[in-house]
Amino acid sequence: QQPVQSPQAVILREGEDAVINCSSSKALYSVHWYRQKHGEAPVFLMILLKGGEQKGHEKISASFNEKKQQSSLYLTASQLSYSGTYFCGTHGSGNTGKLIFGQGTTLQVKP
Amino acid sequence: DAMVIQNPRYQVTQFGKPVTLSCSQTLNHNVMYWYQQKSSQAPKLLFHYYDKDFNNEADTPDNFQSRRPNTSFCFLDIRSPGLGDAAMYLCATSRDRQGYEQYFGPGTRLTVT
């Protein structure tokens, strides 16, 4: 089942922060985060494998709460280059290889 | 640089005329995926290869088939494209099926006339 992302869209000014949430109704093995700019392929941001794990990449970080089957992506001090559509992708238990993407969150950063 | 390459980047085909999209990788990854992405939607997995083992998604139409002749190459064949098959087709690779990031190619934009 497709994970649910919220919000669907967000508009920010440069320097503002944003949080994107990803929630699943099924037990999760891992959560992936990707960013896709218009007309381009998705670009990998990070993967979270363990319950309670947090990761950071410059000003973009994420957390994964395995018990709640939720993940959040944190964007701090946003830059114009952060604009795009963010997808979470979830892997359930079982080595099936299937990554199911959420519906996406469109982020627009304005000067 | 190691990468995922898709050809062509843009493909126009006629209704019902078979078309083949290609993907190659220099990453030597075991797994190769084909996704279909329509406008403003998430990528949707069509099928994947784990080495030579083909894994089809239950809701992938029979019209779509795939071949992986070797580790580096994978092809998507659309036997009789319909107007509803117009989309971006993304190829991705990963080292293994669980716990590893997927590397996406630039995609092939398919138009059906």
Side-chain angles (χ1 to χ4, degrees):
Chain A
Q1 281 177 328
Q2 186 178 37
V4 177
Q5 289 184 231
S6 62
Q8 286 192 321
V10 59
I11 300 174
L12 298 174
R13 294 285 181 189
E14 265 187 302
E16 292 181 339
D17 301 341
V19 180
I20 300 172
N21 299 302
C22 176
S23 179
S24 173
S25 60
K26 289 192 167 185
L28 299 176
Y29 173 83
S30 65
V31 178
H32 299 218
W33 285 98
Y34 292 81
R35 176 171 60 212
Q36 186 177 29
K37 294 185 181 284
H38 183 70
E40 299 180 9
V43 173
F44 172 77
L45 294 176
M46 63 188 76
I47 180 173
L48 301 108
L49 295 176
K50 299 177 184 177
E53 185 180 24
Q54 293 199 22
K55 277 194 173 181
H57 176 70
E58 295 183 344
K59 295 178 181 175
I60 300 175
S61 62
S63 63
F64 175 28
N65 187 320
E66 187 178 359
K67 287 184 180 178
K68 291 185 177 180
Q69 297 161 190
Q70 293 175 345
S71 179
S72 294
L73 185 71
Y74 306 94
L75 302 137
T76 58
S78 59
Q79 306 167 12
L80 294 176
S81 62
Y82 287 3
S83 294
T85 300
Y86 289 78
F87 292 101
C88 69
T90 57
H91 262 144
S93 58
N95 194 16
T96 64
K98 182 169 184 173
L99 191 65
I100 304 175
F101 286 94
Q103 81 276 22
T105 296
T106 301
L107 178 74
Q108 184 180 3
V109 181
K110 293 186 173 182
Chain B
D1 288 339
M3 57 197 310
V4 182
I5 302 162
Q6 290 188 244
N7 285 304
R9 294 291 310 277
Y10 301 91
Q11 176 73 58
V12 180
T13 191
Q14 293 178 337
F15 183 94
K17 186 174 181 181
V19 65
T20 295
L21 310 182
S22 73
C23 176
S24 64
Q25 55 131 341
T26 59
L27 297 159
N28 203 33
H29 282 170
N30 283 327
V31 194
M32 294 187 77
Y33 306 85
W34 279 105
Y35 289 90
Q36 179 193 63
Q37 186 176 30
K38 296 188 176 182
S39 182
S40 302
Q41 295 183 19
K44 178 179 177 296
L45 184 65
L46 295 173
F47 24 61
H48 76 274
Y49 274 95
Y50 180 66
D51 196 11
K52 296 179 182 179
D53 183 29
F54 177 70
N55 297 268
N56 196 28
E57 293 301 307
D59 56 355
T60 297
D62 292 339
N63 199 25
F64 292 85
Q65 297 184 338
S66 184
R67 298 169 282 135
R68 189 180 186 185
N70 53 53
T71 301
S72 301
F73 285 87
C74 196
F75 299 96
L76 170 62
D77 301 307
I78 308 177
R79 290 191 296 181
S80 182
L83 297 178
D85 297 328
M88 176 74 87
Y89 290 88
L90 296 163
C91 174
T93 73
S94 67
R95 189 177 301 175
D96 208 329
R97 288 191 289 196
Q98 285 275 32
Y100 292 91
E101 60 265 37
Q102 295 188 14
Y103 294 83
F104 283 83
T108 294
R109 171 75 63 186
L110 179 68
T111 300
V112 182
T113 62

